Amino acid sequence: MPSSSTAVHSIDATTAALQKELPVLERLQQDLEKELASVSERVLSVRTALAALLALADTPAPRAAQEAPESAATESEAAVETSVTTPQDSSPVPAPRKPTKARSTGGRKTAASTKGEPKERRTSAGKPRTAAAAQQATTAPQESGGLTEQVAAVLTQSPDSPMRARDVAKALGRDSSTGAVNTVRSTLDRLVATSRASRAGRGLYQAPVG
C-alpha cells in the first residue's frame, strides 16, 4: 500500500507541474510566433526592395535620353559644315544714310552760294570721288584675277592630291578665318565653272585631269 500511494502522489505532482508549465510554454510559443511573423515580413520587404533595385540597375537608359545628345551633335556638325561650305560675301554692307533735313534759310543760302561759285570749282569737288571709285574698280579685278591664278597654281602643283579650300588658303599663306576660306572657296568654284579645276568630292578640288 505505501508504494501505491507514493506512485499516485508522484503522478499528481508531475501533473501539477506540467499544468503549471503549459501556460508559460504557450505564451512563449505565441511570442515566438509573433516574432517569426515580424521577421518574415521584414525578409519579404527586403527581398522586394532588393529585387526592384537590381531591376532598376539592369534597366537601360530611355532611348530618347540617349538619342538627344546624338541628335544635338549631328545638328551642330551639320550647322558647322553648312557655314563652311556656303560662300559668304565678306564685303561689309554699307549702312543706309539718314536723310538730313536742311532748314529753309540754310537751303536758300547754299543754293545761292552754289550759284555764285564758278563752274570749275563745283566740278573739281566731284573729281576726287570719281577718281577714287575708278581706282577701286580697277584694283578689284586685279586682286581677283591674281587670286584666281594663285589658286590655280596651287592646284597644279598637286594634280593628284585633292585639296580643300582651307588647305589652299593655308598654302597661299592666308589666315584660317571663315572670310578668307570662303573667298578661296568662291575662287575654286569659279575655276570649276571655267573648267580650270574639277571637283574630286564634297568640298574637294583638284587640277583638271589632262
Side-chain angles (χ1 to χ4, degrees), residues 24-25 39 42 59-60 75 78 83 116 126 134 139 148 153 156 164 172 199 207 210:
V24 176
L25 294 176
V39 172
R42 178 60 180 170
T59 302
E75 291 177 0
S83 64
T139 54
T148 302
T156 305
R164 297 184 179 274
L172 293 175
R199 292 183 181 272

Side-chain angles (χ1 to χ4, degrees), residues 27 40 111 153-154 171 200:
R27 286 195 300 271
S40 299
V154 171

Side-chain angles (χ1 to χ4, degrees), residues 69-119:
E70 296 178 359
S71 61
T74 304
E75 291 177 0
S76 63
E77 290 178 359
V80 171
E81 186 176 358
T82 303
S83 64
V84 172
T85 56
T86 303
Q88 297 179 358
D89 188 7
S90 59
S91 59
V93 179
R97 298 180 62 182
K98 297 182 179 180
T100 57
K101 295 182 179 180
R103 296 182 181 178
S104 58
T105 56
R108 292 176 183 176
K109 291 181 180 179
T110 304
S113 60
T114 304
K115 289 181 179 180
E117 291 179 359
K119 185 177 180 180

Side-chain angles (χ1 to χ4, degrees), residues 163-176 180-181 184:
M163 303 180 68
R164 297 184 179 274
R166 189 177 300 276
D167 299 333
V168 176
K170 184 177 180 180
L172 293 175
R174 291 175 171 261
D175 55 6
S176 59
V181 173
V184 174

Side-chain angles (χ1 to χ4, degrees), residues 13 19 22 72:
Q19 289 178 349
L22 181 61

Side-chain angles (χ1 to χ4, degrees), residues 54-66:
L54 291 176
L56 183 61
D58 295 337
T59 302
R63 186 177 182 82
Q66 293 179 353

